[in-house]
Amino acid sequence: MRAGSLWEYGWPMATSKQMQFLANEATALAAREGLSAIPRWLPAKLFYDEVGSALFEQITELPEYYLTRTERAIFESYAGEILQAAGPSLTLVELGAGTASKTCILIEELLQRQSRGLFYPIDVSPSALQAAVMQLGRQFPQLRVNPIIADYTGGVEALNRISGRKLVLYIGSSIGNFEPDESVRVLRRIRRTLRMGDALLLGADFAKSPKILLPAYDDPRGVTAAFNKNILARLNRELDADFDLDAFRHVALWNKRCSRMEMYLESECPQQAFVPALDMDVEFGAGERIHTENSYKYTMGMIETILRESGFKLEQSWRDRQKWFGVHLARV
Ligand code: TRP
């Protein structure tokens, strides 16, 4: 067959359709195990499609969601100290960068210390990365931005090839969305892509009163509820499922014993949903829950443990005055 005939028969269209099919396949694969399990669960990474990433940005601006602004305030107060402690001539990497909105503070400080900078934002969301590249390009002409579309949880091969000293930002308390043993495995895989002297900056939320935690994960405006429900909306969009979003309720609970917030979608009545892409009927009793996410809240002891177990050495920590949030510098 001549190359030209591929075009004649509509190859470009088939490619984009195939790509959509592959993306939906990945969603189907991610949803299958949890939807067939009792109790039911869905993997949190399904939150972050284009709609979900935009909703999460909205969450970070809620007055109740103290995490983002508290971490930002720590960067605003201590960016100089943090970069000083990390060492000279740094290349920045950010895991789960999203739109990298807090990172600007560190980048600005970096570019006062070195004339040029290199930044590798890593994220599964191409739309969020694109927003980051546009914004940073406009704001920092001396910064080269090399976005990497990837799920960092398996370690990112490309980091091996970066020369020079790296500072890996893992901020926003995303680490808290893994089970403790899984968080150690993720950090260990990241550590394997680093060299002696490279550093990790870990942002983590501290354990605190449920009076502060609960509204942060269940705001009166319902943005968090919409974010949580987007996971079902996404299955409707991509897998042609028929989850009735109004028949599920967002539930956020503080589990003190495990030191974590737990997020669920609770079925308000007995109901059934069909997921064509999985050829699966999913039945729910009234009050039955789908577990969508945990968000661990740390003590200093927990931070020290996960860093030590993953092969990092904790060097210095910064926190806000209320001790709500912490930023921790660790070394390979
Ligand atoms: N990483 C965020 C956190 O743990 C995710 C998040 C915020 C979230 N609000 C949520 C997840 C509500 C599920 C439901 O803080």
Side-chain angles (χ1 to χ4, degrees):
M1 202 197 301
R2 283 180 304 116
S5 57
L6 289 175
W7 290 93
E8 268 162 53
Y9 294 109
W11 177 250
M13 215 176 82
T15 306
S16 82
K17 261 198 189 152
Q18 279 171 342
M19 272 165 55
Q20 192 54 53
F21 177 77
L22 286 174
N24 294 355
E25 278 288 284
T27 303
L29 207 64
R32 185 170 56 200
E33 191 186 343
L35 283 180
S36 14
I38 305 277
R40 305 199 192 278
W41 59 277
L42 283 167
K45 68 175 174 191
L46 286 179
F47 283 128
Y48 300 97
D49 65 349
E50 196 167 347
V51 178
S53 295
L55 282 167
F56 185 67
E57 281 299 306
Q58 261 175 269
I59 288 180
T60 64
E61 284 156 20
L62 291 171
E64 295 83 9
Y65 195 78
Y66 61 87
L67 288 85
T68 311
R69 70 182 142 79
T70 307
E71 189 177 43
R72 180 178 292 123
I74 296 172
F75 290 157
E76 271 158 6
S77 304
Y78 301 112
E81 276 186 33
I82 292 169
L83 291 177
Q84 177 73 35
S89 325
L90 295 169
T91 291
L92 291 185
V93 175
E94 184 171 0
L95 309 176
T99 56
S101 65
K102 279 168 294 185
T103 318
C104 298
I105 305 163
L106 296 173
I107 292 172
E108 186 154 8
E109 183 66 36
L110 181 83
L111 293 174
Q112 280 174 21
R113 292 162 181 267
Q114 54 195 67
S115 56
R116 279 188 294 162
L118 197 51
F119 178 43
Y120 292 83
I122 304 172
D123 204 278
V124 285
S125 167
S127 58
L129 277 181
Q130 178 152 23
V133 171
M134 298 267 286
Q135 173 58 31
L136 294 172
R138 219 176 298 136
Q139 201 176 346
F140 303 110
Q142 328 87 292
L143 185 74
R144 210 164 100 209
V145 184
N146 292 332
I148 301 176
I149 299 170
D151 175 354
Y152 61 77
T153 57
V156 181
E157 189 69 41
L159 296 186
N160 276 318
R161 294 191 290 272
I162 300 174
S163 59
R165 188 195 293 272
K166 293 186 281 295
L167 172 61
V168 177
L169 310 174
Y170 192 19
I171 60 181
S173 205
S174 305
I175 187 73
N177 298 136
F178 295 106
E179 292 307 298
D181 56 342
E182 182 61 13
S183 72
V184 168
R185 280 197 291 272
V186 169
L187 289 178
R188 220 180 261 158
R189 284 181 208 122
I190 296 298
R191 202 216 58 210
R192 277 195 212 113
T193 65
L194 304 179
R195 293 195 204 99
M196 282 280 278
D198 286 348
L200 171 77
L201 192 68
L202 182 69
D205 198 18
F206 283 125
K208 61 179 68 60
S209 163
K211 285 201 198 91
I212 298 154
L213 287 169
L214 289 169
Y217 289 88
D218 193 1
D219 66 282
R221 266 171 277 189
V223 180
T224 307
F227 173 72
N228 200 3
K229 284 187 183 187
N230 177 56
I231 210 164
L232 294 182
R234 182 174 182 183
L235 302 188
N236 287 352
R237 284 191 295 271
E238 292 183 26
L239 308 183
D240 214 18
D242 61 357
F243 288 97
D244 178 1
L245 300 190
D246 295 329
F248 285 88
R249 188 170 76 89
H250 166 68
V251 175
L253 303 174
W254 170 239
N255 182 333
K256 185 169 196 288
R257 192 176 54 87
C258 299
S259 200
R260 69 189 189 202
M261 286 297 300
E262 298 175 352
M263 261 67 72
Y264 299 91
L265 289 164
E266 183 177 293
S267 174
E268 299 200 284
C269 55
Q271 57 176 321
Q272 198 171 6
F274 181 53
V275 190
L278 295 171
D279 191 25
M280 184 193 277
D281 274 312
V282 195
E283 275 183 54
F284 298 93
E288 186 173 350
R289 290 170 180 169
I290 309 173
H291 186 203
T292 53
E293 182 156 88
N294 289 326
S295 188
Y296 280 84
K297 305 299 170 189
Y298 299 87
T299 60
M300 274 313 292
M302 290 162 75
I303 296 287
E304 277 160 23
T305 304
I306 57 168
L307 285 172
R308 187 177 358 94
E309 287 183 359
S310 54
F312 286 99
K313 196 170 141 283
L314 177 62
E315 284 191 344
Q316 201 174 341
S317 299
W318 294 267
R319 65 208 89 191
D320 59 296
R321 211 175 299 134
Q322 304 182 91
K323 301 201 175 123
W324 281 1
F325 201 94
V327 170
H328 311 276
L329 185 76
R331 191 82 57 185
V332 176

